[in-house]
Amino acid sequence: MTLMKKAAGKVIYGTGQVLSFVFDLIIGIAQVTVSLVIGIARGFAALIGMGGCLILFLLFGPFGLVVLLNPVTILVILFFIIFPILGQKFISFLKYWRYIITEYLFDLGSYLMDGKGEHKSFSEYGHKYQKMEEERIRQERERRQQQQQKEWEERFRQWQSYQRQGGQQWQGQGGYTGQQTYANPMTEFKQKYKKSCDILDLPYDTDKYQVKLGYRKKAKEYHPDINKSPDATRKFQEINDAYEFLSEENIERYKSMS
């Protein structure tokens, strides 16, 4: 009986390895395809931007309207808009099931071979994956917040240095350049701060606790998995950007400016 359990465990563990490879292959192909489509769409958008009035004339002139109203053209445009969104969701779906299935098989196979550890139900692996994703998103958000904080600190430092030098930049023994200037970042910072508060429906004298509550409320309202409106994804991204900007450091910086 023990030999049979070990043999079954090896088969199950090997099946997990094969499925892991298959999932990784499909996910890799999907990621490359989505990146390629996004790259083509961005290149076309850049081409339109470079073409300016000529491109607009061609698009909205008589010939352009005929092309734009062609069903094939409409389908192509919809493809480049919808495919990246669905592609990203498909990749997330594959990653979710890869983790659940392969971890289940690995743990079950190890349990049968060695009699150690434990194997859980699919739902328990699903909860574990969700917690791991939440932690990954939290760490990524903290990294972006720290990066933003450093960028603002550097901009304010450059401005203060510029002010102390009377609007001139020193180049060692070469003397003053007298030409290089820095824009005061205070106005832009205040505008972004107020816009972030408006997005989360917060007062300008908010604190970090109100920011967290406001974010949770708005994120739940506009999460693309719940809210099916066309602009839900864009609004959800704006909510995340506002939350990242309204760090405790930026709140204190704004209050010191007021």
Side-chain angles (χ1 to χ4, degrees), residues 156-168 176:
F156 279 106
R157 186 196 66 77
Q158 289 179 347
W159 171 251
Q160 291 169 359
S161 176
Y162 175 73
Q163 290 292 92
R164 285 196 301 268
Q165 295 171 6
Q168 295 176 318
Y176 291 105

Side-chain angles (χ1 to χ4, degrees), residues 104-120:
Y104 176 84
L105 293 175
F106 288 152
D107 287 351
L108 177 58
S110 297
Y111 177 76
L112 292 174
M113 286 188 293
D114 306 327
K116 299 178 181 179
E118 59 179 355
H119 62 280
K120 307 172 185 176

Side-chain angles (χ1 to χ4, degrees), residues 74-87:
I74 294 173
L75 288 175
V76 170
I77 293 173
L78 289 175
F79 171 79
F80 280 102
I81 293 175
I82 297 174
F83 182 82
I85 298 173
L86 296 180

Side-chain angles (χ1 to χ4, degrees), residues 144-161 182-196 241-242 244-247 249-251 253-254 257:
R144 289 196 299 266
Q145 283 181 329
Q146 292 173 358
Q147 182 62 32
Q148 284 189 27
Q149 192 67 24
K150 289 180 181 178
E151 290 174 357
W152 280 108
E153 288 175 355
E154 178 61 20
R155 290 183 63 182
F156 279 106
R157 186 196 66 77
Q158 289 179 347
W159 171 251
Q160 291 169 359
S161 176
Y182 287 102
N184 188 347
M186 186 178 296
T187 301
E188 182 183 348
F189 179 86
K190 286 184 175 181
Q191 290 175 345
K192 188 166 185 178
Y193 179 91
K194 291 180 179 179
K195 181 180 179 181
S196 298
D241 291 342
E244 289 176 11
F245 180 78
L246 292 175
S247 62
E249 293 83 359
N250 282 345
I251 293 173
R253 176 177 282 120
Y254 176 81
M257 294 177 180

Side-chain angles (χ1 to χ4, degrees), residues 71-132:
V72 176
T73 304
I74 294 173
L75 288 175
V76 170
I77 293 173
L78 289 175
F79 171 79
F80 280 102
I81 293 175
I82 297 174
F83 182 82
I85 298 173
L86 296 180
Q88 294 290 355
K89 289 184 177 294
F90 179 63
I91 291 170
S92 298
F93 176 82
L94 288 175
K95 288 182 177 179
Y96 174 77
W97 282 105
R98 177 189 63 180
Y99 178 84
I100 292 177
I101 294 173
T102 57
E103 287 299 311
Y104 176 84
L105 293 175
F106 288 152
D107 287 351
L108 177 58
S110 297
Y111 177 76
L112 292 174
M113 286 188 293
D114 306 327
K116 299 178 181 179
E118 59 179 355
H119 62 280
K120 307 172 185 176
S121 65
F122 267 50
S123 61
E124 289 178 294
Y125 285 103
H127 293 319
K128 184 177 179 180
Y129 180 84
Q130 290 175 350
K131 289 181 179 179
M132 288 171 56

